[in-house]
């Protein structure tokens, strides 16, 4: 039998034999996975836990290695529990095997028994749960923020379970068992008057009156010394009654068995139970439920104030479902009742609910006669705070419009928790009431499929691919998923795949039409419109115009240029859209819609095609302006594009240097691909080919050859429509280089020859020089080194004639490498050394890296393995710094060959393993050859 333990030092046993997990990172990895047992944990989160914000260069590969080592350390059968998921890893453990799961089950059973009045069963369940605690939770796991929070959470759970256990013992009349555990709790919480009162009562009921009075005196001295206050009125009243030996303090002993179910009297007077019914098909949200509980526990009674929590998110994301589900889970912690109000913050055609309306209902529920409720809002709020004082209440304020609406409804006393949901960010509530905010995003892919599966039943849920497709088309938004599920349930014979087709093929309007269950509250379009209608006109205009952007996200400056605004003005409007949860802020900062909100924005934009077209062109101009600058910074060897009179954007990007240019290209990679496609579809041919020209060089360094080929085909079609021969030559040259890199040598050769022919006719010497270099590379792939030398020498001559020193440096490398392949190593050495010196003189790091690699190759053949290895390592470092994974992998491969030839197979294996990780990261076909080499080296 396997056992896993987190409630103390990390523990794994198999048939009661401990399995040691040695190594800090393996313990961190196992602890993180066990904390979320049964739930996939993403690679990013695991990397963050393992390396505390400073991951290694090859973090994913390093994580994979740690997982493998952990599996090996666990052995059989425990190692099999660690499974690989789509985007991370998960650990499978049952309730009987993992102590935190067992604790949760026992605690739940104890609560259920207490609710039924079966105090013996409750006491037994809580005692069994508490016995699982061996020491402080996660006691020997390296300190990480996530583990500090988790340990605090499980300490708080233990504290609450202990209090419930003691309450059950008290009700059973087992007073002699209470003083020791109460004394232990008081050591941990010395200022908790409630615990001290329980200890006094337990001592008195156990015929230890003098000790009870001594506890009061000790408590009084502590409070006066530490806080400068006297004990509270409840503790003072208890002290007075013990002084009088008041025998009515002894409650009637309750039966050990369950009490019979009663009617209203079983609940007791003025104990409201107003929570709506919980969501039947609620799934997932484990992290959010944990976060709410942890926040409530952490702030419980803090400085005598109530706890305020807020759940914020876009329309239809499931805020109410989460809040109601959590409220039901914790309802038994609030024995004095639960209050609920729908504040109608975003209902169409109706104002938000007045705070007085909710206050009147709350006061009545708390037992205040209607005739005693004052007319003034301020007086109502004061009476409400008085009625809530001394009670443990949960107040759920749903669908709040703003902080001003919520403030009068907040209790003031410790022991109360107010949970607020809203579509807007309640910053004022965070500032004034210390609210703990929780942002709710869409469901994960797994949670979305699980929701559909649970609603549709096992027969229709068997096709997981169809479930995943439908979930994605519903943007993983709970409202949309439930609407789609409701439709599917009313059409039980209709295949799920048909809904995929319906959501895909009908365009923006049809897609939203498909997500309509027949009334306003279950119509995605209508629900979105309630949030949109609350926007001012400037923010609403920006929301519509953002539909002109191809996505998936954009920067502040791009949004500003698209709308024709200055950056500062756009920043304020974007903040308003984020605050309304109609837009999501990403790191950067960047901003994005989810797919259904984008669809809604597109539908709105269709009503004004002229404005939308103008916004599209402004966006295209913005990115073209930035891309031209970035392209020349990344590769100054390229021939600058001629000025075509494009307007300067209203908020141009700031790209001061090469590093920023590379970072900009990486951040905008998907956007640029979308813009080129958009330009091709809309006939913006000038933008299409120029953007494609700009991205080609950087994408080549990233190994994105298929994308280069796709975008250059769009560019080529655009140049043909424009009748621009020079632009056609550029597009064919870029297309040819991409095809060569992809291994399509014949097709690439054809495009390069066509490009060269146009350049020769036009007398474009610089263009010819670049194309000769590309042809040299193509012939190198064929191992036709005489042709490599011929084209390299053509390129060198043309660049020298044009006075282009950067081009000369690159061509020197090509010629030197060709000589080395033909066996003329000393001649090759001269060319390569001249090329390295020139590259360093010009600060051309890209050329320096390439020529160092060639120099290492030459020295390897000359037998100077130490010099060759040194130059390969220099080249690798530069190429990694320049974010060239494929080129760095090539240099590492050659470094491995040199190390092996020099008699160092261990270092060779290390170099090839690093190269393999780089190639796997870009899914390059050369990885297969490296695997063969590594196996041969290992087996040999």
């Amino acid at each position: 039998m396997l056992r896993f333990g987190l409630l103390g030092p990390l523990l794994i046993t198999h048939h009661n034999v401990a399995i040691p997990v040695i190594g800090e990172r393996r313990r961190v990895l196992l602890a993180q996975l066990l904390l979320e047992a049964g739930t996939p944990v993403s690679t990013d989160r695991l990397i963050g836990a393992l390396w505390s914000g400073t991951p290694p260069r090859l973090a994913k590969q390093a994580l994979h290695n740690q997982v493998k080592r952990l599996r090996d350390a666990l052995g059989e059968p425990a190692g099999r529990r660690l499974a690989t998921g789509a985007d991370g890893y998960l650990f499978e453990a049952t309730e009987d095997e993992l102590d935190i799961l067992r604790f949760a089950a026992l605690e739940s059973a104890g609560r259920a028994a207490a609710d039924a009045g079966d105090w013996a069963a409750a006491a037994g369940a809580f005692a069994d749960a508490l016995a699982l605690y061996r020491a402080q939770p996660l006691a020997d796991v390296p300190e990480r923020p996530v583990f500090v929070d988790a340990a605090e959470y499980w300490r708080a759970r233990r504290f609450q379970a202990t209090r419930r256990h003691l309450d059950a013992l008290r009700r059973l009349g087992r007073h002699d068992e209470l003083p020791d555990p109460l004394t232990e709790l008081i050591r941990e919480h010395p200022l908790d008057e409630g615990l001290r009162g329980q200890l006094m009562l337990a001592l008195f009921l156990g015929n230890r009156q003098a000790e009870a009075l001594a506890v009061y005196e000790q408590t009084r001295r502590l409070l006066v010394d530490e806080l400068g206050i006297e004990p509270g009125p409840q503790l003072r009243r208890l002290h007075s009654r013990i002084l009088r030996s008041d025998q009515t303090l002894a409650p009637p002993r309750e039966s050990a068995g369950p009490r019979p179910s009663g009617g209203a009297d079983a609940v007791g007077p003025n104990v409201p139970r107003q929570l709506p019914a919980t969501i039947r098909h609620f799934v997932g949200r484990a992290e959010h439920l944990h976060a709410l509980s942890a926040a409530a526990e952490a702030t419980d009674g803090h400085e005598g104030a109530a706890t305020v929590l807020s759940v914020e998110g876009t329309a239809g994301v499931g805020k109410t479902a989460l809040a109601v589900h959590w409220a039901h889970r914790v309802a038994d912690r609030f024995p004095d009742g639960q209050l609920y109000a729908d504040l109608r913050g975003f209902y169409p055609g109706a104002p938000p609910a007045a705070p007085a309306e909710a206050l009147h209902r709350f006061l009545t529920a708390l037992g205040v006669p209607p005739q005693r409720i004052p007319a003034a809002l301020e007086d109502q709020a004061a009476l409400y705070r008085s009625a809530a004082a001394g009670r443990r209440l949960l107040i759920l304020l749903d669908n709040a419009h703003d902080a001003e609406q919520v403030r009068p409804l907040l209790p003031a006393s410790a022991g109360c928790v107010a949970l607020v949901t809203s579509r807007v960010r309640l910053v004022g509530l965070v500032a004034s009431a210390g609210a703990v905010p929780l942002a709710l995003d869409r469901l994960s892919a797994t949670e979305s499929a699980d929701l559909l599966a649970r609603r549709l039943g096992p027969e229709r849920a068997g096709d997981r691919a169809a479930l995943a497709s439908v979930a994605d088309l519903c943007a993983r938004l709970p409202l949309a998923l439930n609407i789609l599920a409701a439709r599917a349930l009313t059409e039980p014979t209709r295949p799920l795949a048909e809904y995929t087709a319906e959501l895909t093929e009908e365009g923006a309007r049809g897609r939203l039409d498909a997500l309509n269950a027949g009334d306003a509250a279950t119509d995605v379009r209508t629900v979105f419109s309630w949030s949109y209608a609350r926007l001012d006109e400037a923010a609403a205009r920006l929301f519509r115009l953002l539909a002109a952007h191809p996505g998936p996200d954009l920067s502040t400056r791009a949004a500003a240029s698209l709308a024709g605004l200055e950056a500062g003005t756009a920043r304020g409007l974007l903040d308003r859209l984020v605050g309304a949860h109609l837009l999501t802020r990403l790191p950067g900062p960047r901003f994005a819609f989810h797919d259904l909100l984008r669809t809604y924005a597109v539908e709105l934009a269709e009503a004004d095609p002229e404005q939308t077209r103008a916004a599209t062109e402004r966006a295209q101009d913005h990115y073209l302006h930035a891309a031209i600058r970035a392209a020349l910074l990344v590769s100054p060897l390229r021939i600058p594009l001629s000025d075509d009179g494009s307007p300067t954007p209203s908020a141009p990007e700031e790209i001061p240097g090469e590093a920023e240019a590379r970072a900009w290209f990486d951040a905008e990679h998907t956007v640029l691909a979308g813009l080129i496609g958009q330009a091709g579809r809309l006939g913006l041919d000038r933008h299409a080919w120029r953007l494609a020209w700009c991205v080609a060089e950087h994408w080549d360094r990233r190994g994105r050859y298929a994308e280069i080929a796709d975008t250059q085909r769009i560019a080529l079609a655009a140049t043909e429509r424009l009748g621009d021969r020079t632009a056609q030559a550029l597009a064919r040259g870029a297309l040819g280089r991409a095809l060569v890199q992809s291994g399509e040598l014949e097709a690439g050769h054809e495009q390069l020859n066509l490009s060269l022919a146009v350049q020769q006719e036009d007398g474009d010497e610089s263009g010819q020089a670049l194309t000769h270099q590309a042809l040299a590379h193509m012939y190198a792939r064929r191992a036709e080194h005489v042709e490599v030398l011929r084209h390299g020498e053509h390129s060198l001559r043309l660049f020298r004639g044009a006075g282009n020193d950067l081009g000369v440096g690159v061509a020197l490398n090509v010629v030197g490498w060709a000589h080395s392949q033909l066996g003329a190593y000393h001649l090759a050495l001269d060319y390569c050394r001249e090329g390295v010196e020139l590259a360093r003189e010009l600060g051309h790091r890209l050329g320096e890296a390439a020529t160092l690699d060639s120099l290492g190759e030459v020295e390897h053949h000359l037998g100077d393995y130490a010099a060759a290895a040194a130059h390969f390592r220099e080249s690798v470092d530069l190429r990694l710094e320049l974010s060239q994974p494929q080129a760095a992998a090539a240099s590492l491969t050659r470094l491995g060959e040199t190390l092996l030839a020099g008699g160092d197979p261990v270092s060779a294996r290390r170099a090839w393993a690093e190269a393999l990780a780089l190639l796997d990261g870009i899914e390059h076909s050369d990885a297969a050859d490296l695997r063969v080499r590594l196996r041969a080296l290992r087996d040999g």
Side-chain angles (χ1 to χ4, degrees):
M1 180 68 180
L2 283 168
R3 299 282 186 191
F4 304 97
L6 295 174
L7 300 178
L10 190 62
L11 177 70
I12 309 123
T13 65
H14 185 219
H15 295 305
N16 295 321
V17 177
I19 301 172
V21 177
I22 299 169
E24 175 179 320
R25 291 206 169 91
R26 269 166 272 174
R27 299 179 73 76
V28 168
L29 178 60
L30 180 60
Q32 180 76 60
L33 292 166
L34 285 175
L35 278 172
E36 303 180 60
T39 301
V41 186
S42 71
T43 55
D44 288 342
R45 290 186 60 210
L46 291 172
I47 288 168
L50 284 169
W51 287 283
S52 298
T54 55
R57 187 169 61 193
L58 304 172
K60 288 189 177 181
Q61 179 66 32
L63 172 61
H64 174 76
N65 292 338
Q66 290 293 334
V67 169
K68 182 180 183 303
R69 289 172 190 155
L70 178 57
R71 283 198 187 105
D72 293 342
L74 293 175
E76 294 292 341
R80 289 201 302 269
R81 300 299 185 86
L82 208 175
T84 303
D87 183 35
Y89 300 90
L90 79 159
F91 203 99
E92 297 288 355
T94 67
E95 178 184 298
D96 291 331
E97 294 171 337
L98 178 57
D99 59 3
I100 59 173
L101 299 180
R102 180 66 177 151
F103 176 90
L106 287 166
E107 185 188 39
S108 178
R111 290 181 184 180
D115 287 343
D118 189 349
W119 298 108
F126 286 128
D128 289 343
L130 292 167
L132 295 169
Y133 280 78
R134 295 168 284 113
Q136 291 293 339
L138 300 158
D140 62 345
V141 176
E143 186 171 304
R144 299 284 193 276
V146 65
F147 299 143
V148 172
D149 292 345
E152 183 59 37
Y153 171 76
W154 285 105
R155 280 195 293 270
R157 289 282 294 267
R158 176 177 177 268
F159 177 66
Q160 294 297 331
T162 303
R163 295 188 79 151
R164 293 187 179 97
H165 180 224
L166 296 176
D167 183 53
L169 294 177
R170 181 180 62 81
R171 291 173 183 271
L172 291 169
R174 292 158 59 178
H175 305 298
D176 57 329
E177 298 179 42
L178 298 177
D180 287 346
L182 277 168
T183 301
E184 184 64 31
L185 282 183
I186 289 169
R187 287 196 191 98
E188 297 179 25
H189 305 274
L191 299 177
D192 190 318
E193 291 186 50
L195 289 175
R196 290 180 175 269
Q198 289 181 43
L199 177 58
M200 289 167 60
L201 184 59
L203 290 168
F204 173 73
L205 295 175
N207 297 315
R208 298 160 67 180
Q209 182 181 16
E211 291 177 66
L213 294 172
V215 170
Y216 178 80
E217 291 302 325
Q218 181 190 46
T219 302
R220 182 181 178 278
R221 287 194 302 272
L222 178 68
L223 291 173
V224 170
D225 292 344
E226 292 288 333
L227 304 177
I229 61 173
E230 292 286 336
Q234 289 179 322
L235 201 64
R236 292 200 303 271
R237 282 195 295 271
L238 177 61
H239 175 244
S240 177
R241 293 177 71 182
I242 292 174
L243 276 173
R244 299 195 310 268
S245 297
D246 186 347
Q247 296 305 309
T248 63
L249 282 171
R253 180 166 173 159
E254 305 205 32
S255 69
R259 61 175 173 240
S261 60
D265 290 342
V267 175
N270 303 327
V271 179
R273 305 280 192 242
Q274 295 184 346
L275 294 178
T278 192
I279 306 301
R280 182 181 175 192
H281 299 289
F282 188 88
V283 300
R285 303 298 197 193
E287 288 186 16
H288 299 88
L289 292 167
H290 171 81
L292 286 172
S293 294
E297 297 277 5
T299 57
D300 187 15
H302 179 62
E303 297 181 356
T307 297
V308 182
L309 311 172
S310 70
V311 176
E312 304 161 3
T314 191
V317 80
K319 301 178 293 296
T320 298
L322 172 69
V324 171
H325 186 78
W326 180 78
H328 277 283
R329 282 179 55 160
V330 301
D332 64 337
R333 304 184 197 176
F334 303 93
D336 297 313
Q338 303 90 43
L339 301 171
Y340 172 81
D342 181 356
L343 299 181
R344 305 193 302 274
F346 296 87
Y347 278 21
E357 177 185 335
L359 279 172
H360 196 283
R361 292 180 55 231
F362 286 177
L363 287 167
T364 303
L366 292 172
V368 178
Q371 62 271 21
R372 282 195 55 215
I373 299 176
L377 175 64
E378 185 176 336
D379 295 335
Q380 289 177 357
L383 181 57
Y384 164 63
R385 290 192 293 272
S386 297
R391 305 197 196 200
R392 292 188 68 82
L393 292 168
L394 174 62
I395 301 101
L396 176 50
L397 304 173
D398 194 22
N399 198 16
H401 180 260
D402 54 26
E404 200 63 32
Q405 183 191 30
V406 169
R407 283 194 187 96
L409 306 176
L410 298 178
S413 55
C416 293
V417 171
L419 175 58
V420 186
T421 74
S422 182
R423 295 187 188 185
V424 298
R425 296 168 62 192
L426 301 174
V427 178
L429 211 59
V430 176
S432 64
V436 179
L438 177 69
L440 193 61
D441 202 350
R442 296 169 295 150
L443 294 172
S444 69
T446 300
E447 290 171 334
S448 302
D450 287 347
L451 188 154
L452 288 173
R454 186 172 296 185
R455 294 214 56 185
L456 297 177
E459 185 174 337
R460 298 180 79 184
D463 187 349
R464 295 295 291 188
L467 288 178
S469 178
V470 169
D472 284 344
L473 289 167
C474 290
R476 306 198 311 276
L477 198 68
L479 173 64
L481 291 164
N482 279 298
I483 292 172
L484 202 287
R487 285 192 56 198
L489 287 170
T490 63
E491 301 172 302
T493 61
R494 188 179 183 189
L496 205 57
E498 288 189 13
Y499 293 102
T500 302
E502 182 179 345
L503 290 167
T504 304
E505 295 173 2
E506 294 190 12
R509 185 168 296 278
R511 187 177 184 186
L512 293 178
D513 287 343
L515 296 172
N516 180 358
D519 62 76
T522 55
D523 176 1
V524 168
R525 179 189 288 109
T526 302
V527 171
F528 287 165
S529 74
W530 299 345
S531 294
Y532 175 75
R534 299 285 179 180
L535 297 174
D536 61 80
E537 176 49 37
R541 173 182 178 270
L542 180 59
F543 180 78
R544 296 191 302 271
L545 293 184
L546 289 176
H549 190 276
D553 51 42
L554 78 169
S555 66
T556 301
R557 289 181 174 274
S561 294
L562 175 148
L565 302 170
E566 293 183 354
T569 303
R571 189 175 296 111
L573 296 177
L574 290 166
D575 285 342
R576 275 180 247 170
L577 293 176
V578 170
H581 289 287
L582 290 171
L583 205 62
T584 300
R585 186 192 304 274
L586 305 175
R590 299 178 69 82
F591 301 87
F593 295 114
H594 65 63
D595 286 349
L596 289 181
L597 273 173
R598 176 178 291 281
T599 300
Y600 178 61
V602 168
E603 182 175 292
L604 294 174
E606 287 173 349
D608 194 345
E610 290 186 10
Q611 284 280 349
T612 304
R613 175 76 179 203
T616 300
E617 293 182 6
R618 286 194 296 266
Q620 290 274 342
D621 286 336
H622 172 89
Y623 283 98
L624 182 56
H625 183 273
I628 289 174
R629 172 163 177 75
L632 294 175
L633 285 168
V634 166
S635 180
L637 182 60
R638 304 189 76 187
I639 305 161
L641 292 179
S642 60
D643 180 18
D644 65 343
S646 295
T648 300
S650 60
E653 299 284 353
E654 296 176 345
I655 308 175
E658 180 190 353
E660 292 82 3
R662 286 190 280 107
W664 184 83
F665 271 130
D666 287 336
E668 303 291 356
H669 164 251
T670 307
V671 174
L672 290 165
L675 285 163
I676 295 166
Q678 180 189 62
R681 290 191 303 276
L682 298 180
L684 299 173
D685 293 332
R686 178 179 59 85
H687 295 87
W689 82 260
R690 286 169 177 266
L691 280 170
W693 176 89
C694 290
V695 302
E697 184 75 17
H698 184 74
W699 287 5
D700 180 87
R701 297 182 194 181
R702 293 292 190 265
R704 302 183 186 279
Y705 308 124
E707 289 175 278
I708 297 172
D710 290 342
T711 52
Q712 292 302 328
R713 290 187 179 102
I714 295 171
L716 187 56
T719 61
E720 288 171 346
R721 287 191 294 270
L722 291 169
D724 188 334
R725 283 169 47 85
T726 302
Q728 284 178 39
L730 290 173
R732 289 190 185 281
L735 176 58
R737 282 187 284 274
L739 291 170
V740 168
Q741 290 282 27
S742 300
E744 299 179 55
L745 302 184
E746 290 302 325
H749 192 188
E750 179 184 0
Q751 293 296 331
L752 290 171
N753 279 337
L754 288 170
S755 176
L756 184 61
V758 172
Q759 291 162 342
Q760 287 172 338
E761 288 179 24
D762 292 346
D764 179 4
E765 292 189 350
S766 294
Q768 291 175 60
L770 289 170
T771 306
H772 277 298
Q773 280 191 8
L775 285 165
H777 181 71
M778 186 274 301
Y779 280 112
R781 296 285 293 255
R782 289 179 172 176
E784 297 181 25
H785 303 304
V786 172
E787 287 299 309
V788 174
L789 180 59
R790 185 171 70 86
H791 285 285
E793 288 175 338
H794 274 306
S795 178
L796 181 58
R797 176 180 54 79
L798 288 164
F799 274 131
R800 277 184 167 149
N804 187 329
D805 289 340
L806 280 176
V808 168
V810 174
L812 285 168
N813 176 44
V814 174
V815 173
W817 186 86
H819 278 304
S820 75
Q821 300 306 301
L822 293 169
Y825 300 122
H826 291 286
L827 189 58
L829 201 60
D830 292 339
Y831 276 103
C832 289
R833 283 174 174 165
E834 184 183 353
V836 168
E837 290 172 7
L838 183 56
R840 286 173 174 165
E841 180 184 329
L842 298 170
H844 188 212
R845 296 186 302 156
L846 182 67
E848 181 185 355
T851 314
L852 282 167
D853 180 82
S854 298
L855 195 54
E857 178 84 357
V858 174
E859 286 162 332
H860 173 97
H861 286 293
L862 290 171
D864 191 347
Y865 299 131
H871 285 120
F872 282 134
R873 288 191 179 99
E874 283 187 85
S875 179
V876 169
D877 288 343
L878 269 174
R879 284 173 159 174
L880 288 173
E881 185 183 338
L882 294 167
S883 300
Q884 290 185 284
Q886 184 191 349
S891 293
L892 281 164
T893 302
R894 287 189 272 276
L895 172 61
E897 293 167 352
T898 295
L899 292 167
L900 192 61
D904 188 355
V906 173
S907 297
R909 184 183 298 111
R910 191 178 301 121
W912 285 350
E914 190 174 351
L916 180 60
L918 289 170
L919 292 173
D920 280 341
I922 59 173
E923 299 180 0
H924 198 280
S925 58
D926 287 352
D929 177 60
L930 262 182
R931 284 192 172 85
V932 172
R933 292 192 190 201
L934 279 165
R935 279 196 298 270
L937 187 57
R938 181 193 63 204
D939 297 341

